[in-house]
Amino acid sequence: MIEHIHTIKYGSVLIDYDLSFQERKNLTIKVYPDCSVKIIAPYDTPLQKIEKQIKKKAPWIIKQQREFLSYQPLTPPRLYVNGETHLYLGRQYKLRIERGNKSEVKLFRGRIIVFCKEENSVKEILNKWYREKAVVHFEEVLNKTLLLFKKYDIIKPELHIRSMEKRWGSCTPNGKIILNSELIKAPKGSIEYVIVHELCHLIYYNHTKAFYDLQESIMLDWKKWKERLENILS
């Protein structure tokens, strides 16, 4: 299989796509959850013919990409000062900064207490704590949620956590799930919703009726948790 990366312009939108050729009869277009576009064409198909087909399907491609980007995190910037509100698993905590010989974070009576030697290290300490919690909690939710997909024989995907500006989660074509580290601030149900959403993409790449039917069969109240996610971290 020969692969090439191309770009085509549709109106003011640039569509990057991965073009590969195979022994087949028809051309297929797939849009993946990470918004990448893959075209598989029969050998010897002229590029002009391929581009004509892409332009014909461009409105659908753009719609799919926009749906994948429809739940964007919009958490306002934090100043990391005493009394400021910070979220953890959907609950609001007031930040309290304490001087200490050891850098650590504790939750106590509605407060998130950061112990540090220097105040300018509060952000770093708190973000490190969030990430550590995310690693443990996301893995637990993934293991629990995978049981709901038992009949689909899904191989446990590789889980990665990183900071993302525009996505709560994504699923790559090779089955890797990436979750936004900020998601640890969302309610537990919302975290489960995002993981269910990405696992559904291991079965259906695009947001088709079959995709949403599967998502609803796995998590009946997903719309409620999606709305909570969008409201609490906006």
Side-chain angles (χ1 to χ4, degrees):
M1 183 170 67
I2 305 169
E3 297 187 353
H4 302 282
I5 303 297
H6 295 266
T7 300
I8 192 170
K9 189 171 184 180
Y10 180 78
S12 60
V13 179
L14 291 176
I15 299 174
D16 296 321
Y17 63 94
D18 179 359
L19 174 61
S20 60
F21 295 90
Q22 291 182 0
E23 193 68 50
R24 53 169 41 235
K25 291 183 178 180
N26 300 313
L27 179 145
T28 62
I29 300 174
K30 290 183 178 180
V31 182
Y32 292 91
D34 63 355
C35 291
S36 62
V37 180
K38 186 165 186 175
I39 314 295
I40 305 175
Y43 285 121
D44 301 323
T45 306
L47 184 59
Q48 186 178 4
K49 183 177 180 181
I50 294 170
E51 290 186 342
K52 183 179 179 181
Q53 191 68 15
I54 295 170
K55 285 183 177 179
K56 183 179 177 182
K57 296 286 289 183
W60 174 82
I61 293 170
I62 294 167
K63 181 183 177 184
Q64 287 293 312
Q65 290 176 323
R66 286 176 178 169
E67 283 194 34
F68 284 128
L69 291 170
S70 64
Y71 57 121
Q72 299 183 359
L74 300 170
T75 307
R78 304 281 81 189
L79 299 175
Y80 299 93
V81 294
N82 273 310
E84 185 178 54
T85 300
H86 285 256
L87 287 163
Y88 174 62
L89 293 178
R91 288 189 58 189
Q92 299 267 12
Y93 292 87
K94 280 196 174 182
L95 178 62
R96 181 174 165 183
I97 302 167
E98 296 278 358
R99 288 297 179 93
N101 294 323
K102 182 181 177 183
S103 297
E104 59 181 331
V105 178
K106 291 184 178 181
L107 298 178
F108 182 72
R109 294 184 180 178
R111 296 185 182 275
I112 187 164
I113 307 171
V114 178
F115 295 90
C116 57
K117 293 180 181 179
E118 299 177 6
E119 286 194 16
N120 58 9
S121 63
V122 172
K123 179 179 178 180
E124 181 183 342
I125 294 167
L126 188 54
N127 284 345
K128 183 175 180 288
W129 178 81
Y130 272 130
R131 185 173 181 81
E132 289 170 352
K133 292 294 184 181
V135 169
V136 174
H137 190 74
F138 295 172
E139 188 70 27
E140 286 178 355
V141 177
L142 176 61
N143 290 334
K144 170 188 169 186
T145 308
L146 268 174
L147 297 175
L148 303 175
F149 289 82
K150 191 173 182 180
K151 72 175 183 179
Y152 297 98
D153 294 322
I154 294 176
I155 297 173
K156 184 179 177 180
E158 189 178 335
L159 180 62
H160 291 253
I161 301 168
R162 70 180 189 214
S163 176
M164 295 188 285
E165 291 184 4
K166 297 182 178 180
R167 306 292 303 278
W168 288 120
S170 67
C171 178
T172 65
N174 61 359
K176 179 171 70 176
I177 288 181
I178 304 167
L179 297 178
N180 193 327
S181 54
E182 288 287 292
L183 193 59
I184 194 63
K185 299 176 183 179
K188 292 179 181 179
S190 296
I191 296 171
E192 185 177 344
Y193 152 68
V194 173
I195 292 177
V196 166
H197 186 94
E198 301 309 334
L199 287 174
C200 287
H201 280 311
L202 296 179
I203 301 165
Y204 299 107
Y205 291 124
N206 299 318
H207 290 129
T208 59
K209 183 179 184 299
F211 171 89
Y212 286 113
D213 285 347
L214 173 61
Q215 183 171 266
E216 188 134 353
S217 71
I218 298 294
M219 191 175 191
L220 285 173
D221 57 353
W222 69 268
K223 291 180 181 177
K224 178 184 82 171
W225 292 112
K226 180 178 186 291
E227 186 177 350
R228 287 280 302 277
L229 175 64
E230 292 169 343
N231 290 337
I232 201 167
L233 290 179
S234 62

